[in-house]
Amino acid sequence: MSKFFLVRFSEAIVALWAITVIVFALTHLSGSPVDALLPDDATPEQAQMLIEEWGLDRPLLVQYFTFLGNVLQGDFGDSLKWRGQTAMGVVLDHLPATLQLGSFAVLIGVVVAVPLGVLAAARKNSAIDTSANVLALLGQSIPNFWLGIILVWLFGVTLGWLPTSGRGGFSHMILPAIAMSWFQIAALTRLTRSAMLDVLDAEYIKLARIKGLGERAVVWKHALRNAAIVPLTYFGVLAGSILTGSVVIETVFAWPGIGWLAIEAIRGRDYPVVQSVVVVFAVIYILANLLVDLLYAYVDPRIRR
Amino acid sequence: MSDSNRPVLEVENLHTVIATQRGTFDVVDQVSFRLEAGETLGIVGESGSGKSMTGLSLLGLVPKPAASVVGGRVLLDGEDLRSKSEAELRQVRGRKISMILQDPQTSLNPAFTIGNQLLEALQVHERDSRQSLRQRAIQALRQVRVAAPERRVHDYPHQMSGGMKQRVVGAIAISCAPRVIIADEPTTSLDVTIQAQYLKLLEDLQRETGLALIFITHDFGIVARICQHLLVMYAGRIVEAGPVREIFNRPSHPYTRALLASVPTVERKVDRLPSIEGQPPPLHDLPKGCRFAPRCGFAETRCHEAYPGHSAGRSGHPRHIVNCWRAEEI
């Protein structure tokens, strides 16, 4: 158990380190920040001053380690757009909104998709199975921003049942969360179904029935426990799609999370904030996958050693 | 073990079909036999002859939705299992009739400890405190000669050897003290020494508990060792049935004779083992007459035209029967 955890944990650290290298490199690839910061009519002396002040004339490696040192302290510099705040401060202010919406979307996805996938497999070719297939097809063919707009139009504008944008009470979360989980439900249902179909053919399922167990215990205990590995693996990907999805959905619904923030920061050429968002995205993604690895060990005892 | 005892299990004209895209076919057809307490019945035949399907049909566990048991009676202690509902059948499975599957590597659930899986088998049928069921689970492991069962209950299947796993499967089968256990080639995937130990174990258990055993195999060595009665199946039907000794001494069906002839023995030195020419008929194209006729050296016109009824086997034993037109002549 401990060895497994140690390996996974070191992998996560290495991944995080790689992210810092990429973020650092990307910033330098996008040209000198001095050009972006100074007005067009700035003199070369002014530019030179800024370069020296920020240490941009020092070797790249030295610059990287300065950057890394600051990153480790959560220091990405000050935001250029939101004056008077640190870049990381701005991101952390908006993080709860994203986490709230994202976890609600994941919750909807898991609560709908896993039971649906299990039932579809347990009653193959039944009405439930057919509906699950149709739902999965719709989910995978409808883009989420389009669905978001349609949801706003239908439930917000036409019916007037739910608020169309912004963050407020629970009702504000419903539409964006549905739009976000839409695709995930489709993918997760299909994955769960096919994993369950494989497992239901196993000999230990036969043995469970021979023991006199009811179908409910056979399907939900014996089969799902073994099939769970597959949707669980997807859960790591899901965390990623919540983040990338949040950029689009938060913009459509004007949800003040870090996805929306990323777009705003890019528009305002607020590099420190963009960098912070990227790093926070990476950390969330890596933590989600670490969590998945730990859940693996819980689900499958063979992984624990 | 006299014939006057009431049989534990009596099967009459069991009929199981499988539905495929090409149509519906018989996989178990007109299978009848009886089994008394403490007795062991061997069922032999090639792969696809319907041996395993017969076993699953008894439990009402044929693979759904393709296969279904459509006819016959299965009397367990006088109760017809075929007339029971699925809920009633669940009460019987594991408690009165159980089964040991072929491959111990895959028949235990990898996600649960063996203690958990044993306990579950007991919990389905017994209303008793968790503590005392736990003791019974440990007792069952002890019965199948698992050393240190108190510690072993915490193990997961992947921590055990194949032979040990098959013992655990055996422990699950006997945990509720069933009247009948169907063992579907339980030793095929074990190596020879472990195989011998396992057979010994089954014999011991049978002596201790008086359970009746149906042993599905294709190994005549095993049949000779532990079975008193034998069914020889071919393409879903019984071709010959009777006491093992009578069948071994006087095999009456050409198929049985061919099978026995292909068993190597220490006394009889041969360069090459005789084999039976041809393949068993595919389900979708069963011959109209005797199903073995296309491969049979003795077949004549009537063999191809109509299925032979039961006749007495050559031993003359009252329970020795054979389904062959020419049993008396050859």
Side-chain angles (χ1 to χ4, degrees):
Chain A
M1 176 75 184
S2 57
K3 189 189 163 202
F4 169 77
F5 181 70
L6 215 65
V7 168
R8 290 303 140 107
F9 193 73
S10 341
E11 280 172 8
I13 298 289
V14 170
L16 273 176
W17 170 75
I19 296 291
T20 65
V21 174
I22 293 169
V23 167
F24 179 76
L26 282 178
T27 322
H28 277 264
L29 282 176
S30 66
S32 164
V34 176
D35 296 338
L37 286 171
L38 287 175
D40 289 343
D41 55 354
T43 62
E45 288 76 31
Q46 284 174 309
Q48 190 56 37
M49 241 174 68
L50 201 62
I51 286 173
E52 278 170 24
E53 189 191 326
W54 285 13
L56 293 173
D57 53 347
R58 280 185 274 170
L60 215 51
L61 210 60
V62 175
Q63 286 189 42
Y64 171 71
F65 279 109
T66 313
F67 167 79
L68 189 63
N70 289 336
V71 165
L72 287 178
Q73 296 164 38
D75 181 6
F76 287 83
D78 290 337
S79 164
L80 305 176
K81 187 178 156 99
W82 290 272
R83 294 283 170 191
Q85 293 188 57
T86 61
M88 193 43 104
V90 174
V91 173
L92 291 181
D93 279 349
H94 290 80
L95 186 60
T98 292
L99 291 183
Q100 185 193 23
L101 181 60
S103 27
F104 188 51
V106 169
L107 187 73
I108 295 179
V110 171
V111 165
V112 174
V114 171
L116 195 60
V118 169
L119 286 178
R123 307 200 188 131
K124 202 181 160 194
N125 297 329
S126 68
I128 292 182
D129 191 19
T130 314
S131 338
N133 271 328
V134 172
L135 190 78
L137 193 69
L138 287 178
Q140 289 184 313
S141 50
I142 297 177
N144 61 0
F145 66 88
W146 184 83
L147 180 74
I149 293 168
I150 293 296
L151 287 175
V152 167
W153 170 72
L154 184 63
F155 293 101
V157 181
T158 309
L159 295 170
W161 290 353
L162 293 165
T164 57
S165 68
R167 185 178 179 214
F170 177 72
S171 62
H172 283 80
M173 265 204 307
I174 298 176
L175 292 185
I178 291 176
M180 231 176 185
S181 57
W182 188 251
F183 177 83
Q184 300 152 14
I185 289 176
L188 207 53
T189 304
R190 292 190 76 110
L191 278 173
T192 309
R193 177 180 180 272
S194 65
M196 282 292 290
L197 282 180
D198 278 352
V199 169
L200 282 170
D201 274 340
E203 290 289 290
Y204 54 79
I205 296 298
K206 217 191 259 175
L207 187 70
R209 292 196 175 116
I210 289 169
K211 285 198 269 189
L213 251 60
E215 272 309 287
R216 204 177 300 156
V218 169
V219 170
W220 294 96
K221 182 184 171 189
H222 284 265
L224 182 58
R225 180 66 178 267
N226 284 280
I229 281 276
V230 176
L232 205 57
T233 308
Y234 186 68
F235 187 79
V237 181
L238 205 73
S241 79
I242 290 288
L243 298 175
T244 52
S246 75
V247 175
V248 176
I249 294 297
E250 287 181 7
T251 307
V252 170
F253 289 91
W255 183 268
I258 55 175
W260 169 86
L261 183 71
I263 297 291
E264 291 295 306
I266 290 167
R267 277 199 193 134
R269 294 191 155 243
D270 192 344
Y271 289 115
V273 171
V274 175
Q275 281 184 350
S276 312
V277 170
V278 170
V279 169
V280 168
F281 271 180
V283 169
I284 295 176
Y285 196 82
I286 287 165
L287 283 181
N289 279 289
L290 199 61
L291 181 70
V292 166
D293 286 339
L294 291 181
L295 286 173
Y296 268 173
Y298 169 72
V299 168
D300 190 342
R302 286 168 295 186
I303 296 175
R304 272 174 223 169
R305 285 187 300 171
Chain B
M1 275 187 234
S2 75
D3 279 0
S4 59
N5 286 357
R6 192 175 78 156
V8 185
L9 182 69
E10 206 167 0
V11 177
E12 286 169 16
N13 290 323
L14 190 66
H15 189 191
T16 301
V17 297
I18 190 157
T20 70
Q21 285 172 339
R22 287 180 170 177
T24 302
F25 309 109
D26 300 335
V27 279
V28 177
D29 195 6
Q30 294 179 22
V31 167
S32 305
F33 59 86
R34 50 188 290 181
L35 190 62
E36 280 153 29
E39 217 175 47
T40 302
L41 171 77
I43 302 182
V44 295
E46 287 165 274
S47 308
S49 59
K51 326 184 282 281
S52 297
M53 270 298 195
T54 303
L56 291 172
S57 299
L58 299 180
L59 288 158
L61 281 176
V62 291
K64 276 177 234 172
S68 55
V69 184
V70 293
R73 296 207 298 166
V74 178
L75 296 169
L76 180 64
D77 274 336
E79 280 183 294
D80 188 5
L81 300 187
R82 287 262 304 125
S83 64
K84 286 184 183 290
S85 70
E86 177 59 27
E88 288 169 327
L89 267 180
R90 277 206 291 273
Q91 301 284 311
V92 176
R93 281 182 209 136
R95 190 164 61 91
K96 287 190 157 182
I97 182 165
S98 195
M99 188 160 177
I100 297 171
L101 297 171
Q102 183 171 355
D103 186 0
Q105 302 296 348
T106 55
S107 46
L108 290 170
N109 193 324
F112 300 102
T113 60
I114 59 143
N116 184 319
Q117 297 185 54
L118 251 169
L119 202 58
E120 188 183 49
L122 287 161
Q123 276 169 337
V124 186
H125 301 296
E126 316 273 338
R127 305 232 171 282
D128 209 341
S129 75
R130 207 180 155 78
Q131 201 46 48
S132 70
L133 288 183
R134 191 168 195 85
Q135 284 312 311
R136 283 184 58 183
I138 290 170
Q139 182 54 32
L141 285 178
R142 198 169 286 132
Q143 267 184 291
V144 296
R145 324 284 189 256
V146 169
E150 300 83 0
R151 274 189 288 121
R152 282 307 216 170
V153 287
H154 302 294
D155 281 0
Y156 285 94
H158 71 269
Q159 294 167 307
M160 300 185 134
S161 68
M164 200 52 86
K165 276 186 231 183
Q166 196 62 311
R167 280 167 192 254
V168 173
V169 175
I172 290 176
I174 61 161
S175 60
C176 293
R179 304 277 280 145
V180 179
I181 289 182
I182 304 160
D184 187 359
E185 305 195 35
T187 57
T188 309
S189 57
L190 304 178
D191 58 44
V192 184
T193 47
I194 308 294
Q195 196 171 36
Q197 286 172 15
Y198 200 77
L199 291 177
K200 169 92 166 49
L201 175 70
L202 285 178
E203 283 176 314
D204 290 350
L205 286 175
Q206 204 171 18
R207 206 167 32 244
E208 288 162 25
T209 62
L211 63 85
L213 202 59
I214 296 177
F215 206 99
I216 298 171
T217 181
H218 49 247
D219 184 337
F220 275 110
I222 292 177
V223 171
R225 171 159 173 196
I226 69 167
C227 300
Q228 290 91 48
H229 291 272
L230 180 63
L231 295 186
V232 182
M233 287 188 74
Y234 186 80
R237 291 210 187 188
I238 294 175
V239 292
E240 185 163 0
V244 169
R245 187 188 308 235
E246 312 301 336
I247 292 182
F248 273 34
N249 288 339
R250 305 208 142 229
S252 305
H253 196 283
Y255 179 62
T256 317
R257 293 167 80 174
L259 279 182
L260 284 170
S262 61
V263 176
T265 58
V266 182
E267 295 85 31
R268 194 175 65 214
K269 285 256 189 304
V270 283
D271 292 334
R272 202 164 164 220
L273 288 172
S275 62
I276 308 173
E277 287 296 315
Q279 294 289 322
L283 278 180
H284 58 85
D285 191 21
L286 290 177
K288 190 171 65 162
C290 172
R291 288 171 183 179
F292 186 62
R295 294 168 82 183
C296 180
F298 303 98
E300 51 184 39
T301 322
R302 61 179 168 168
C303 298
H304 292 286
E305 279 167 358
Y307 195 85
H310 291 327
S311 52
R314 291 197 303 147
S315 67
H317 189 281
R319 285 181 70 179
H320 187 179
I321 54 147
V322 58
N323 286 0
C324 178
W325 286 118
R326 304 192 60 194
E328 310 223 332
E329 313 158 38
I330 55 180

